Amino acid sequence: MQKNYDLVVIGGGPAGLAAAEAARKNGIEDIMILERDKELGGILNQCIHNGFGLHTFQEELTGPEYAQRFIDRVKGLGIPYQLNTMVMDITRERKVTAMNREEGLFELQAKSIILAMGCRERPRGALNIPGCRPAGIYSAGTAQRLVNMEGFMPGRQVVILGSGDIGLIMARRMTLEGAKVKVVAELMPYSGGLKRNIVQCLDDFGIPLKLCHTVVGIDGKERVKGVTLAQVDEKGKPVPGTEEYYSCDTLLLSVGLIPENELSVEAGVELSRVTNGPVVNESLETNIPGIFACGNVLHVHDLVDFVSEEAAAAGKSAAAYIQRTAENAADADDSTKNRIPIIPAGGVRYTVPSTVCAGRMEDALKVRFRVGAVYKNCYISVYLDGERILHRKRPVMAPGEMEEILLKKSRIQEHPGLAGITVKIEDR
Amino acid sequence: MYDVVIIGAGVSGAAAARALSGYNLDICVVEKEEDVCCGTSKANSAIVHAGYDAKPGSLMAKLNVRGNQMMAQVAKELDVPFRRCGSLVVCREGEDTEMLKKLYEQGIANGVEGMKILDREEALSCEPNLSDDVVAALWAPSAGIVCPFLLNIAYAENACENGVEFRFNTEVEEIEKLENGYRLVTEDGSLEAKVVVNAAGVHADRFHNMVSSKKIHITQRRGEYCLLDKTAGNLVSHTIFQLPGKYGKGVLVSPTVHGNLLIGPTAIDQEDKEAAATTQEGLSEVLRKSAMSVKNIPVRQVITSFAGLRAHEDGGEFIIQELEDAKGFVDCAGIESPGLASSPAVGEYVKEIVAGILKPEKKSDYQAARKGILDPKTLSVEERNALIRENPAYGNIICRCEKVTEGEILDAVHRPIPATSLDGVKRRTRAGMGRCQSGFCSPRVMEILAGEFNVDLSLITKCGGDSRLIVGKNKELKSENQDG
């Protein structure tokens, strides 16, 4: 029971929806979105706080409201989707195996695939936090689902480890729903979350944020009874003698997100060791022709607005790919063969995309990246080989906030034989 | 009055129950936790040791080798994953190669078959990721790996199917000697039995000492482990041991039957009989020592860590016997490593002792075979689709990491010994065992449990008792925490 599609989009969250919409608007009729949950919208459905959509719609929406706008567009365009459907496997040949209750296991052959599976939370084990293993240890997103979707409280007295955005949002949510959030501990000397969330979710509620702290013990056989925090040194190692015990019944973990690329790996998609997302070119295309990636499966974003924007670019690229293959147009143009690497340097951890090819570029290409530490009054510089073409002062840059620059196609075309584009942080 | 009451539903108690269920006996297993496999049996190396470690002539040596020989048949009968992957004890530069020879000779004396001492090249050819300073290794092809949870669960389920009663959440507090047996006092009244089998793991000394003047003493020897993602599962294809030391067999690196990589354990004696907590020092030790025998262990792929308590009796030997000064009281105590490997033989050994006391008749309708929870991943696409048509729950993935379906979880909830908690479901189906460690599936599994048992979600626990997962509805706690 094989079905053929021009484009299969894996995931019906914000990335998948925006990608499908863009592909349709760029001429692709034959699309299928596969979503494992019972509704479209992805993780936004449990993000009932506001702050979404400032860039896209110039207004503040809640997560479900933001998702609904894209769901309405997809439905308005008549793009088909299947819910409660888990993708089990993807191959290099772009064959997708999925499963649901009604159809069992079934295969879809796609000309192009857009990976939009999002990310998952790092569990406790990834940090090797010592102690017992009682009930009451939740990743912040799991707690968010319980509270916001099911209406159940995972605990009364809460300690949060990690100041990622979900942890910060959950500190406020748990407080509003009646729990006591005692402290948020963060291993790093800076928060991993957005500044606005620190202010609105912790400061406004008098919840202390302890930087350079981590959990060194979890107490309780059946249910959490307390956790021990300790200060850490520059290497992140706990400093003996700084232990502090907090009695609590719940430990929430907001210690990082991991792009969910198990399917991608099975298909042979090459991943970046820094982002854990696929390595992509200017078209957001992976090393496997016709397989594109966008949103949190590509690299973890802070703002959904940028997910939507990136996903639209992936949808447009996939449409172009499908049309090119339909016309049987070989990549005759030399400019499409010449891949120029984008080299992250001097504090820039990675860039997305990581290569460009002038022939395939839009007139202006957004390159997104993160820095590895907090930088104050520094400059973002872009070099085309030796020539600096951008030098922009930034009062503050932090790992928790994604940065971006625009690369102009015309500038790159002025440099035939260009060997590399370097993005770096400079003091002056 | 029962014929036999077995205290403890760990792997030894459950194996004994299964072995005894072949007789016409009225048997009850009492377990203080909410499920089988909640103590030592749930947190160990999952290894079916070959049998060269134990002292020749010891009961431990005898039952280890016998258990190892029986395991393939038992695993087949009980539908439990078992793989004879073989093991290597590695000897590193500067270590005593005489130790390898001693192990080899012990193995020969114990009846271990197929062993061979390999030089570095031979060892590397079967295990390329051995560390650079490995100079020799003892190869034991009969060693294997098994799923410790499913083996324990399968013994118990099979015993249950053959008529053995299980009482959970039932802690024995006192044991009184009667004229013709024993009275076991619990919180919910007492049970009487002609024969008591004391398979209480780290608590076995307490029960022994209630009835005997010849005291035994069990030390809780904690072992900490790290479990790595399946992406790291192929790093080694055999179980890699280090030369044994005073406290045990050192830190091992092993594949698991489910395709993960397991490293550990440490060995630290502790007073507490309950708290199996990992420690910073312990986990660092596991990472540091495992790297001594195998290189390039991808420590970033650790998905969880855990600690188990070995029941180490002072004599370092299995104590399985009817007590001289307490007739009808049978110890099955001091069952530390290789207890899992020995379990089929431990069950058989206990059976012989009890049968010697009670002289029971064989059951005519004993069923040795047990069917495990159906894993749709083992089916062909056509079979799987036929299954889904018949029961659509098999088309609904609940645990995305391990790809466990709703059908499997429903099966686990309706077994002879049902899963009643998240951990119960996890140990039976692997839902929550994967790389996200139940972040995704726990709310979904909770809903299934609440629905199947027709109880409020707030009553669902992680592992019974007070391990409730949620404390109430939103805003219910408002007044409680308004302390001004």
Side-chain angles (χ1 to χ4, degrees):
Chain A
M1 186 179 63
Q2 183 147 337
K3 305 171 192 175
N4 294 299
Y5 292 92
D6 282 346
L7 175 64
V8 170
V9 179
I10 303 182
L17 293 169
E21 181 200 11
R24 172 60 62 86
K25 286 187 168 161
N26 284 277
I28 303 304
E29 281 303 312
D30 190 22
I31 304 175
M32 175 56 78
I33 304 172
L34 299 175
E35 166 57 41
R36 69 181 171 203
D37 216 329
K38 59 179 185 276
E39 55 196 340
L40 294 172
I43 210 69
L44 285 176
N45 289 324
Q46 69 180 51
C47 302
I48 63 172
H49 53 281
N50 62 356
F52 299 90
L54 280 167
H55 296 260
T56 313
F57 300 110
Q58 286 76 49
E59 55 183 310
E60 270 203 84
L61 304 173
T62 64
E65 287 170 334
Y66 185 95
Q68 196 58 46
R69 299 222 173 166
F70 280 87
I71 295 169
D72 289 345
R73 290 179 182 182
V74 161
K75 288 186 176 171
L77 290 166
I79 300 173
Y81 55 90
Q82 276 192 290
L83 303 176
N84 297 308
T85 300
M86 185 71 90
V87 173
M88 308 291 280
D89 187 49
I90 309 172
T91 69
R92 279 187 94 85
E93 294 72 34
R94 300 179 302 277
K95 191 173 81 183
V96 178
T97 306
M99 186 170 80
N100 62 33
R101 297 173 66 104
E102 290 73 34
E103 292 167 81
L105 281 167
F106 58 98
E107 287 180 353
L108 302 89
Q109 178 62 54
K111 288 180 185 155
S112 174
I113 292 174
I114 295 179
L115 305 172
M117 294 90 80
C119 58
R120 64 164 182 271
E121 296 178 279
R122 283 177 86 197
R124 168 192 179 184
L127 306 178
N128 256 344
I129 301 171
C132 298
R133 300 201 300 158
I137 305 168
Y138 289 96
S139 59
T142 305
Q144 186 177 49
R145 180 191 154 115
L146 282 170
V147 175
N148 291 353
M149 308 277 285
E150 330 261 350
F152 286 105
M153 289 293 281
R156 297 182 172 85
Q157 309 262 320
V158 186
V159 169
I160 300 179
L161 175 63
S163 58
D165 288 313
I166 314 173
L168 300 174
I169 296 283
M170 281 312 290
R172 175 174 65 185
R173 170 60 50 207
M174 294 286 284
T175 305
L176 291 173
E177 297 296 350
K180 171 81 185 163
V181 177
K182 296 198 161 176
V183 64
V184 176
E186 168 59 56
L187 181 74
M188 304 305 285
Y190 48 81
S191 162
L194 296 171
K195 180 74 187 157
R196 72 175 197 210
N197 283 336
I198 305 229
V199 174
Q200 294 170 9
C201 300
L202 299 188
D203 297 354
D204 288 358
F205 293 88
I207 300 168
L209 171 62
K210 293 201 151 202
L211 298 173
C212 301
H213 275 71
T214 192
V215 173
V216 294
I218 300 172
D219 178 28
K221 181 175 187 279
E222 295 182 326
R223 176 85 199 189
V224 174
K225 283 186 188 155
V227 303
T228 305
L229 299 186
Q231 211 176 317
V232 297
D233 61 21
E234 319 73 69
K235 288 176 182 162
K237 295 271 177 240
V239 179
T242 62
E243 296 85 0
E244 260 182 295
Y245 183 84
Y246 288 83
S247 69
C248 61
D249 63 6
T250 305
L251 172 65
L252 292 191
L253 301 173
S254 177
V255 292
L257 299 166
I258 308 168
E260 189 143 33
N261 276 296
E262 280 68 32
L263 289 170
S264 326
V265 170
E266 278 174 42
V269 169
E270 184 196 338
L271 301 189
S272 150
R273 285 183 58 84
V274 179
T275 61
N276 290 309
V279 174
V280 293
N281 64 23
E282 74 299 319
S283 307
L284 305 178
E285 187 178 24
T286 68
N287 60 310
I288 298 183
I291 300 186
F292 298 80
C294 55
N296 283 348
V297 81
L298 177 54
H299 57 146
V300 175
H301 292 65
D302 317 314
L303 297 177
V304 71
D305 303 72
F306 297 157
V307 168
S308 303
E309 190 182 288
E310 181 178 277
K316 194 174 171 191
S317 298
Y321 172 88
I322 293 163
Q323 283 148 358
R324 268 202 317 275
T325 47
E327 291 157 13
N328 233 339
D331 288 344
D333 184 357
D334 252 4
S335 64
T336 63
K337 290 200 175 125
N338 191 14
R339 307 231 128 267
I340 306 156
I342 305 182
I343 302 148
V348 175
R349 293 186 63 228
Y350 72 89
T351 64
V352 166
S354 59
T355 63
V356 296
C357 143
R360 286 275 156 77
M361 266 177 85
E362 299 279 312
D363 290 340
L365 174 71
K366 249 182 204 161
V367 176
R368 297 197 160 93
F369 63 93
R370 283 184 195 273
V371 294
V374 175
Y375 291 91
K376 288 194 173 147
N377 296 317
C378 287
Y379 293 82
I380 300 173
S381 300
V382 176
Y383 289 82
L384 300 184
D385 288 342
E387 186 200 347
R388 185 160 77 189
I389 58 160
L390 185 115
H391 191 57
R392 190 167 80 215
K393 184 160 185 182
R394 298 277 286 122
V396 183
M397 285 182 284
E401 317 233 358
M402 194 181 277
E403 300 287 334
E404 64 179 45
I405 50 150
L406 269 185
L407 270 187
K408 292 231 169 65
K409 183 177 187 170
S410 52
R411 291 305 295 266
I412 290 173
Q413 284 173 327
E414 286 165 18
H415 282 254
L418 177 62
I421 302 163
T422 303
V423 181
K424 67 200 286 190
I425 307 301
E426 291 180 317
D427 291 340
R428 52 175 75 204
Chain B
M1 179 177 260
Y2 288 102
D3 293 316
V4 184
V5 167
I6 298 169
I7 307 173
V11 77
S12 300
R18 175 185 187 237
L20 285 166
S21 72
Y23 291 114
N24 278 317
L25 289 172
D26 205 3
I27 305 169
C28 179
V29 179
V30 290
E31 167 57 52
K32 74 180 172 66
E33 301 295 331
E34 53 111 30
D35 197 358
V36 302
C37 198
C38 283
T40 303
S41 304
K42 78 166 179 191
N44 53 65
S45 308
I47 305 297
V48 179
H49 296 276
Y52 46 74
D53 291 284
K55 211 170 81 189
S58 64
L59 183 62
M60 201 181 252
K62 180 179 150 183
L63 297 185
N64 184 168
V65 174
R66 170 92 183 123
N68 179 302
Q69 287 162 352
M70 292 170 75
M71 191 61 82
Q73 174 67 22
V74 166
K76 198 176 154 201
E77 281 172 1
L78 296 178
D79 198 10
V80 169
F82 164 64
R83 183 150 62 90
R84 222 178 265 290
C85 58
S87 69
L88 289 168
V89 182
V90 297
C91 180
R92 296 160 53 229
E93 219 168 284
E95 286 180 330
D96 189 2
T97 47
E98 287 304 309
M99 280 285 290
L100 277 191
K101 283 192 192 124
K102 195 187 153 208
L103 284 178
Y104 176 83
E105 280 154 19
Q106 268 188 183
I108 297 291
N110 292 347
V112 179
E113 289 174 2
M115 287 180 304
K116 201 179 162 211
I117 291 183
L118 310 179
D119 63 21
R120 174 173 168 79
E121 275 57 48
E122 290 170 316
L124 274 181
S125 74
C126 67
E127 203 57 88
N129 287 316
L130 292 180
S131 75
D132 291 335
D133 59 354
V134 167
V135 292
L138 173 65
W139 163 241
S142 62
I145 49 180
V146 69
C147 174
F149 318 121
L150 292 180
L151 181 63
N152 194 159
I153 289 163
Y155 283 136
E157 278 190 5
N158 185 235
C160 183
E161 284 165 338
N162 283 303
V164 174
E165 180 187 343
F166 281 80
R167 290 197 195 179
F168 294 103
N169 300 306
T170 305
E171 182 167 6
V172 175
E173 288 163 351
E174 296 293 333
I175 301 178
E176 294 162 13
K177 180 105 187 64
L178 305 174
E179 209 161 289
N180 58 344
Y182 294 88
R183 176 182 292 126
L184 284 69
V185 182
T186 77
E187 214 176 41
D188 305 323
S190 56
L191 301 81
E192 291 178 2
K194 292 177 196 154
V195 170
V196 172
V197 175
N198 172 23
V202 295
H203 300 278
D205 54 350
R206 197 151 51 84
F207 296 121
H208 169 103
N209 294 340
M210 284 179 190
V211 299
S212 174
S213 59
K214 214 178 139 200
K215 306 297 180 194
I216 63 170
H217 176 251
I218 287 172
T219 304
Q220 291 67 242
R221 188 161 284 172
R222 189 178 69 240
E224 301 182 30
Y225 294 87
C226 297
L227 184 74
L228 280 74
D229 195 352
K230 287 179 171 176
T231 50
N234 290 328
L235 188 70
V236 292
S237 45
H238 313 86
T239 301
I240 311 301
F241 293 102
Q242 298 170 347
L243 282 173
K246 187 180 158 207
Y247 283 94
K249 304 182 184 78
V251 169
L252 62 79
V253 179
S254 180
T256 72
V257 280
H258 298 290
N260 296 85
L261 189 76
L262 183 66
I263 58 175
T266 55
I268 301 284
D269 291 347
Q270 69 171 47
E271 285 298 313
D272 194 329
K273 283 190 182 288
E274 293 289 338
T278 54
T279 61
Q280 253 174 291
E281 306 76 47
L283 296 175
S284 336
E285 185 185 331
V286 167
L287 297 178
R288 185 165 45 82
K289 289 196 174 162
S290 57
M292 292 177 177
S293 46
V294 176
K295 57 184 180 186
N296 303 326
I297 295 176
V299 293
R300 282 180 56 182
Q301 303 291 321
V302 170
I303 57 174
T304 189
S305 54
F306 60 91
L309 300 179
R310 310 173 184 83
H312 174 73
E313 210 281 326
D314 291 356
E317 167 70 310
F318 291 168
I319 303 177
I320 309 178
Q321 60 193 19
E322 184 181 17
L323 303 191
E324 273 177 31
D325 61 348
K327 290 295 168 196
F329 192 97
V330 179
D331 267 342
C332 182
I335 313 294
E336 57 182 321
S337 175
L340 183 70
S342 308
S343 62
V346 167
E348 190 184 60
Y349 199 77
V350 171
K351 176 186 82 174
E352 276 155 23
I353 295 172
V354 174
I357 302 169
L358 294 171
K359 312 267 186 303
E361 281 174 25
K362 286 228 162 125
K363 208 177 261 175
S364 57
D365 55 350
Y366 171 69
Q367 248 323 319
R370 166 253 184 200
K371 198 80 204 102
I373 291 172
L374 173 64
D375 178 358
K377 288 189 283 296
T378 61
L379 302 178
S380 70
V381 172
E382 292 73 30
E383 289 168 332
R384 198 164 178 175
N385 281 338
L387 178 69
I388 294 168
R389 274 194 298 278
E390 194 184 309
N391 182 354
Y394 283 101
N396 182 19
I397 296 280
I398 299 293
C399 165
R400 64 181 170 188
C401 302
E402 295 289 318
K403 297 197 171 132
V404 180
T405 65
E406 186 188 346
E408 290 152 85
I409 293 168
L410 290 172
D411 191 355
V413 171
H414 296 286
R415 303 292 291 184
I417 295 177
T420 56
S421 63
L422 278 194
D423 281 358
V425 168
K426 178 169 86 171
R427 289 199 277 269
R428 282 168 180 79
T429 66
R430 297 189 57 75
M433 203 73 101
R435 50 179 70 92
C436 93
Q437 286 287 298
S438 84
F440 179 79
C441 68
S442 55
R444 291 161 174 84
V445 176
M446 285 160 66
E447 273 172 36
I448 294 174
L449 287 171
E452 291 304 302
F453 295 118
N454 199 18
V455 295
D456 194 78
L457 203 66
S458 63
L459 295 176
I460 301 304
T461 65
K462 177 173 184 285
C463 50
D466 288 328
S467 66
R468 290 196 186 168
L469 290 150
I470 51 183
V471 299
K473 297 224 165 77
N474 287 0
K475 297 199 164 63
E476 271 179 2
L477 314 168
K478 274 260 177 197
S479 51
E480 192 177 317
N481 274 320
Q482 272 167 5
D483 44 13

Short mmCIF file of all heavy atoms in Angstrom, two decimals, chain B residues 425-451:
data_model
loop_
_atom_site.label_atom_id
_atom_site.label_comp_id
_atom_site.label_asym_id
_atom_site.label_seq_id
_atom_site.Cartn_x
_atom_site.Cartn_y
_atom_site.Cartn_z
N VAL B 425 5.21 -0.94 34.47
CA VAL B 425 5.04 -0.92 33.02
C VAL B 425 6.41 -0.86 32.34
O VAL B 425 6.67 -1.55 31.35
CB VAL B 425 4.16 0.28 32.59
CG1 VAL B 425 4.22 0.49 31.09
CG2 VAL B 425 2.72 0.08 33.06
N LYS B 426 7.28 -0.04 32.90
CA LYS B 426 8.60 0.14 32.30
C LYS B 426 9.38 -1.18 32.27
O LYS B 426 9.96 -1.54 31.25
CB LYS B 426 9.38 1.19 33.11
CG LYS B 426 10.79 1.43 32.62
CD LYS B 426 11.42 2.64 33.27
CE LYS B 426 12.06 2.26 34.58
NZ LYS B 426 12.88 3.36 35.13
N ARG B 427 9.37 -1.90 33.39
CA ARG B 427 10.17 -3.12 33.44
C ARG B 427 9.58 -4.23 32.57
O ARG B 427 10.29 -5.12 32.12
CB ARG B 427 10.31 -3.58 34.89
CG ARG B 427 11.23 -2.66 35.68
CD ARG B 427 11.75 -3.31 36.94
NE ARG B 427 10.79 -3.21 38.02
CZ ARG B 427 10.76 -2.22 38.90
NH1 ARG B 427 11.64 -1.24 38.82
NH2 ARG B 427 9.86 -2.19 39.85
N ARG B 428 8.27 -4.14 32.33
CA ARG B 428 7.65 -5.17 31.49
C ARG B 428 7.71 -4.85 30.00
O ARG B 428 7.79 -5.75 29.17
CB ARG B 428 6.19 -5.37 31.91
CG ARG B 428 6.05 -6.20 33.18
CD ARG B 428 4.63 -6.13 33.72
NE ARG B 428 4.47 -6.93 34.94
CZ ARG B 428 4.87 -6.53 36.14
NH1 ARG B 428 5.44 -5.34 36.29
NH2 ARG B 428 4.70 -7.31 37.19
N THR B 429 7.60 -3.56 29.66
CA THR B 429 7.46 -3.22 28.23
C THR B 429 8.60 -2.37 27.69
O THR B 429 8.69 -2.17 26.48
CB THR B 429 6.17 -2.41 28.00
OG1 THR B 429 6.31 -1.14 28.66
CG2 THR B 429 4.95 -3.14 28.53
N ARG B 430 9.40 -1.79 28.58
CA ARG B 430 10.45 -0.83 28.23
C ARG B 430 9.91 0.57 27.93
O ARG B 430 10.68 1.45 27.53
CB ARG B 430 11.32 -1.32 27.06
CG ARG B 430 12.09 -2.58 27.38
CD ARG B 430 13.10 -2.94 26.34
NE ARG B 430 14.09 -1.90 26.07
CZ ARG B 430 15.09 -1.62 26.89
NH1 ARG B 430 15.24 -2.24 28.00
NH2 ARG B 430 15.95 -0.67 26.54
N ALA B 431 8.64 0.82 28.14
CA ALA B 431 8.13 2.18 27.96
C ALA B 431 8.74 3.06 29.05
O ALA B 431 8.55 2.79 30.24
CB ALA B 431 6.61 2.20 28.07
N GLY B 432 9.49 4.06 28.66
CA GLY B 432 10.14 4.93 29.63
C GLY B 432 11.59 4.55 29.88
O GLY B 432 12.30 5.20 30.63
N MET B 433 12.05 3.49 29.22
CA MET B 433 13.40 2.97 29.43
C MET B 433 14.39 3.63 28.47
O MET B 433 15.59 3.40 28.57
CB MET B 433 13.36 1.46 29.19
CG MET B 433 14.45 0.66 29.84
SD MET B 433 14.22 0.52 31.59
CE MET B 433 13.54 -1.11 31.77
N GLY B 434 13.91 4.41 27.53
CA GLY B 434 14.76 4.88 26.44
C GLY B 434 15.46 6.19 26.74
O GLY B 434 15.61 6.60 27.88
N ARG B 435 15.88 6.85 25.68
CA ARG B 435 16.76 7.99 25.83
C ARG B 435 16.10 9.20 26.46
O ARG B 435 16.77 10.01 27.07
CB ARG B 435 17.41 8.34 24.49
CG ARG B 435 16.45 8.46 23.34
CD ARG B 435 17.18 8.81 22.06
NE ARG B 435 18.00 7.71 21.57
CZ ARG B 435 17.58 6.79 20.71
NH1 ARG B 435 16.34 6.84 20.23
NH2 ARG B 435 18.39 5.86 20.29
N CYS B 436 14.79 9.33 26.36
CA CYS B 436 14.18 10.51 27.02
C CYS B 436 13.74 10.16 28.43
O CYS B 436 13.26 11.01 29.16
CB CYS B 436 13.05 11.11 26.19
SG CYS B 436 11.39 10.52 26.54
N GLN B 437 13.92 8.88 28.82
CA GLN B 437 13.67 8.47 30.20
C GLN B 437 12.28 8.88 30.69
O GLN B 437 12.13 9.47 31.74
CB GLN B 437 14.78 9.02 31.11
CG GLN B 437 16.08 8.27 30.94
CD GLN B 437 16.01 6.88 31.57
OE1 GLN B 437 15.82 6.75 32.76
NE2 GLN B 437 16.14 5.86 30.74
N SER B 438 11.30 8.60 29.86
CA SER B 438 9.87 8.71 30.19
C SER B 438 9.33 10.14 30.18
O SER B 438 8.19 10.35 30.55
CB SER B 438 9.54 8.03 31.52
OG SER B 438 9.79 8.89 32.62
N GLY B 439 10.13 11.09 29.76
CA GLY B 439 9.62 12.47 29.67
C GLY B 439 8.40 12.55 28.77
O GLY B 439 7.42 13.22 29.07
N PHE B 440 8.44 11.81 27.68
CA PHE B 440 7.35 11.86 26.70
C PHE B 440 6.20 10.95 27.11
O PHE B 440 5.04 11.34 27.08
CB PHE B 440 7.89 11.43 25.33
CG PHE B 440 6.86 11.41 24.22
CD1 PHE B 440 6.48 12.58 23.59
CD2 PHE B 440 6.30 10.22 23.81
CE1 PHE B 440 5.54 12.57 22.57
CE2 PHE B 440 5.36 10.19 22.78
CZ PHE B 440 4.98 11.38 22.17
N CYS B 441 6.51 9.72 27.52
CA CYS B 441 5.42 8.75 27.67
C CYS B 441 4.81 8.71 29.05
O CYS B 441 3.72 8.15 29.21
CB CYS B 441 5.88 7.35 27.26
SG CYS B 441 7.13 6.62 28.35
N SER B 442 5.46 9.27 30.08
CA SER B 442 4.90 9.05 31.42
C SER B 442 3.47 9.57 31.57
O SER B 442 2.63 8.85 32.10
CB SER B 442 5.84 9.56 32.52
OG SER B 442 6.17 10.88 32.35
N PRO B 443 3.13 10.79 31.10
CA PRO B 443 1.72 11.19 31.24
C PRO B 443 0.77 10.26 30.50
O PRO B 443 -0.34 9.99 30.95
CB PRO B 443 1.69 12.60 30.63
CG PRO B 443 3.09 13.09 30.65
CD PRO B 443 3.94 11.86 30.50
N ARG B 444 1.24 9.72 29.37
CA ARG B 444 0.39 8.83 28.59
C ARG B 444 0.20 7.48 29.28
O ARG B 444 -0.89 6.93 29.31
CB ARG B 444 1.01 8.64 27.19
CG ARG B 444 0.95 9.91 26.35
CD ARG B 444 1.93 9.87 25.18
NE ARG B 444 1.78 11.02 24.29
CZ ARG B 444 2.33 12.21 24.49
NH1 ARG B 444 3.09 12.42 25.55
NH2 ARG B 444 2.14 13.20 23.63
N VAL B 445 1.29 6.96 29.84
CA VAL B 445 1.19 5.68 30.57
C VAL B 445 0.32 5.87 31.82
O VAL B 445 -0.50 5.01 32.16
CB VAL B 445 2.59 5.14 30.93
CG1 VAL B 445 2.47 3.88 31.78
CG2 VAL B 445 3.39 4.85 29.67
N MET B 446 0.48 7.00 32.48
CA MET B 446 -0.35 7.29 33.66
C MET B 446 -1.83 7.25 33.29
O MET B 446 -2.66 6.68 34.02
CB MET B 446 0.01 8.66 34.24
CG MET B 446 1.33 8.68 35.01
SD MET B 446 2.02 10.34 35.18
CE MET B 446 0.81 11.13 36.21
N GLU B 447 -2.16 7.86 32.16
CA GLU B 447 -3.57 7.87 31.72
C GLU B 447 -4.08 6.46 31.46
O GLU B 447 -5.20 6.12 31.82
CB GLU B 447 -3.72 8.68 30.44
CG GLU B 447 -3.92 10.16 30.68
CD GLU B 447 -3.86 10.97 29.39
OE1 GLU B 447 -4.33 10.46 28.35
OE2 GLU B 447 -3.33 12.09 29.44
N ILE B 448 -3.23 5.64 30.82
CA ILE B 448 -3.66 4.26 30.53
C ILE B 448 -3.90 3.52 31.84
O ILE B 448 -4.92 2.84 32.00
CB ILE B 448 -2.60 3.52 29.68
CG1 ILE B 448 -2.50 4.18 28.29
CG2 ILE B 448 -2.93 2.04 29.54
CD1 ILE B 448 -1.39 3.62 27.41
N LEU B 449 -2.97 3.66 32.80
CA LEU B 449 -3.11 2.96 34.08
C LEU B 449 -4.39 3.41 34.79
O LEU B 449 -5.17 2.59 35.29
CB LEU B 449 -1.89 3.23 34.98
CG LEU B 449 -0.59 2.51 34.58
CD1 LEU B 449 0.58 3.03 35.40
CD2 LEU B 449 -0.72 1.01 34.78
N ALA B 450 -4.61 4.74 34.83
CA ALA B 450 -5.80 5.26 35.51
C ALA B 450 -7.06 4.73 34.84
O ALA B 450 -8.02 4.33 35.51
CB ALA B 450 -5.77 6.79 35.51
N GLY B 451 -7.04 4.68 33.52
CA GLY B 451 -8.21 4.21 32.77
C GLY B 451 -8.46 2.72 33.01
O GLY B 451 -9.58 2.31 33.28
#
